[in-house]
Amino acid sequence: MKYILLLCSFLSLFSCGNQLENCNLLANACKADECLLIVQKIPGIRDGKFNYKGINPLTKKACDCNSVTSDRWWADYKEYIEIGDTLIKKKGELVFSIHKKDTVLSFNFECGEKVYK
C-alpha cells in the first residue's frame, strides 16, 4: 500500500512539471500571435476556430485574426465579441483585448492555474 501511495505521489509531481513545461511552450507560441482589427464578420456558432474578419484600423485594409494557437485561447471569449468591436493582441504579449464603444475587456493567457503576462 505504501508503494502505491509513493508511486501516485511521484506520478502526480512528474505530470505537474510536464504540464508547466507544456504551458510555457504554449505561452511562448502565443506570444508570436498578432491581431488588430475592427470586426466586420463573425464566424458561425459552429465554427470552432477564431476566424474573425474585418479592417485593420491603421492600414484600413481588410484582414483577419486567425491563428492555430489562438484558437485555444482567444476562442474562449467569442461570446463577448460583436460587430464593430476592435480586437487587439500585440506580438510579444499575452493579453487579448476587446475594445467596445464604452468598455475594454482584457484577458491574460492562463494555463495550468497560472496567469501569464
Side-chain angles (χ1 to χ4, degrees):
M1 183 68 172
K2 268 198 247 183
Y3 296 113
I4 292 174
L5 289 173
L6 284 172
L7 179 63
C8 289
S9 297
F10 176 75
L11 289 175
S12 68
L13 288 174
F14 180 72
S15 66
C16 288
N18 219 6
Q19 181 183 9
L20 181 59
E21 185 178 321
N22 290 339
C23 286
N24 289 336
L25 290 172
L26 185 56
N28 284 331
C30 287
K31 282 182 181 181
D33 288 339
E34 186 173 33
C35 176
L36 177 59
L37 74 77
I38 298 171
V39 177
Q40 290 185 323
K41 182 180 177 206
I42 296 177
I45 281 181
R46 294 193 176 153
D47 184 0
K49 297 199 177 231
F50 191 94
N51 191 17
Y52 287 79
K53 298 191 184 307
I55 294 179
N56 181 309
L58 302 176
T59 65
K60 307 298 184 208
K61 293 183 180 179
C63 64
D64 60 29
C65 283
N66 150 2
S67 167
V68 175
T69 56
S70 64
D71 286 343
R72 293 182 223 142
W73 174 32
W74 302 351
D76 292 342
Y77 309 109
K78 286 173 119 176
E79 66 190 76
Y80 301 109
I81 300 171
E82 300 171 340
I83 291 176
D85 292 348
T86 302
L87 307 181
I88 300 174
K89 164 51 179 87
K90 294 179 182 176
K91 193 174 235 173
E93 295 183 5
L94 291 171
V95 177
F96 171 68
S97 299
I98 304 167
H99 291 242
K100 298 182 165 292
K101 287 181 183 179
D102 60 354
T103 308
V104 176
L105 304 173
S106 294
F107 304 97
N108 291 312
F109 176 75
E110 296 181 29
C111 182
E113 298 181 16
K114 181 178 177 184
V115 176
Y116 291 76
K117 294 184 180 185

